[in-house]
Amino acid sequence: MTTQTPMDRALVEEAAKKSALIWVQGTEGAPRALWHVWHEGAATLVGDGPREQPLQGLGLTDGGTATVTVRSKDKGGRLVSWPARVVELTPGGEAWTAAVEELKGKRLNAPDAERIAERWARECRVLRLEPASGALAEPPTDSLAAAPLPTPAITRRPVPAGLPKLLARGKRARKG
């Protein structure tokens, strides 16, 4: 197994710090975009709670492995992929508390921001994706595009029957 050079480790850290999302491929399922923070040498994320990002279906288990891909913030293209070791932090532990403090600052629009740590301890998993020894992935030869995951959320619906009349009435009111 090839070990990463100091330049490789610096690339991984800098790319992960600057990107709000990472793509994570666990031992199961398709890669998924997840928000994270870079904390003490690892990508740290929270999920699996009812109001947090879903981690189920990825096969992210304590002591398991994953592949993490970071995209460029400005162009959106892949910068670097690396092998990671999955570490699940124990709620209330020193490492968990430090990680949660970092994650709280990046969690946008939390409905219970003042009690979020309590909810995460009760309902969620906090994971560290630590860069493992091994070579960084080679650049892809194709786009790596994949079909979106199935979801009940939709953005297109039929136009309501009364909408054209409302829009026409608005145009007449502006002209008059």
Side-chain angles (χ1 to χ4, degrees):
M1 184 177 284
T2 309
T3 58
Q4 295 171 0
T5 67
M7 190 65 97
D8 290 343
R9 289 189 296 276
L11 173 61
V12 165
E13 182 173 347
E14 198 60 30
K17 280 181 177 179
K18 291 188 178 198
S19 183
L21 289 176
I22 54 175
W23 288 89
V24 178
Q25 170 75 60
T27 57
E28 303 169 10
R32 193 171 306 158
L34 301 171
W35 72 270
H36 75 290
V37 296
W38 185 263
H39 177 66
E40 295 182 358
T44 306
L45 49 98
V46 63
D48 274 354
R51 292 180 267 177
E52 301 302 336
Q53 59 193 348
L55 303 177
Q56 62 271 40
L58 284 172
L60 298 175
T61 58
D62 189 34
T65 61
T67 301
V68 179
T69 302
V70 182
R71 65 180 176 80
S72 165
K73 195 169 184 173
D74 58 345
K75 302 286 186 192
R78 185 180 94 154
L79 281 178
V80 64
S81 288
W82 77 86
R85 187 173 145 268
V86 179
V87 177
E88 185 166 352
L89 301 178
T90 305
E94 189 176 319
W96 184 90
T97 303
V100 164
E101 284 303 312
E102 290 293 318
L103 287 162
K104 282 182 357 183
K106 299 292 182 186
R107 174 61 166 90
L108 303 176
N109 304 320
D112 58 347
E114 64 282 345
R115 292 188 319 278
I116 199 165
E118 297 165 16
R119 180 169 59 83
W120 285 350
R122 204 175 45 251
E123 302 172 355
C124 299
R125 296 169 62 207
V126 176
L127 303 178
R128 284 177 49 87
L129 303 178
E130 300 173 346
S133 61
L136 301 182
E138 292 295 318
T141 57
D142 61 352
S143 72
L144 299 177
L149 295 173
T151 176
I154 61 171
T155 56
R156 300 231 178 227
R157 292 210 165 114
V159 174
L163 185 60
K165 290 180 184 177
L166 284 172
L167 293 174
R169 189 178 335 152
K171 286 181 184 177
R172 285 193 302 257
R174 284 188 291 245
K175 287 181 183 178

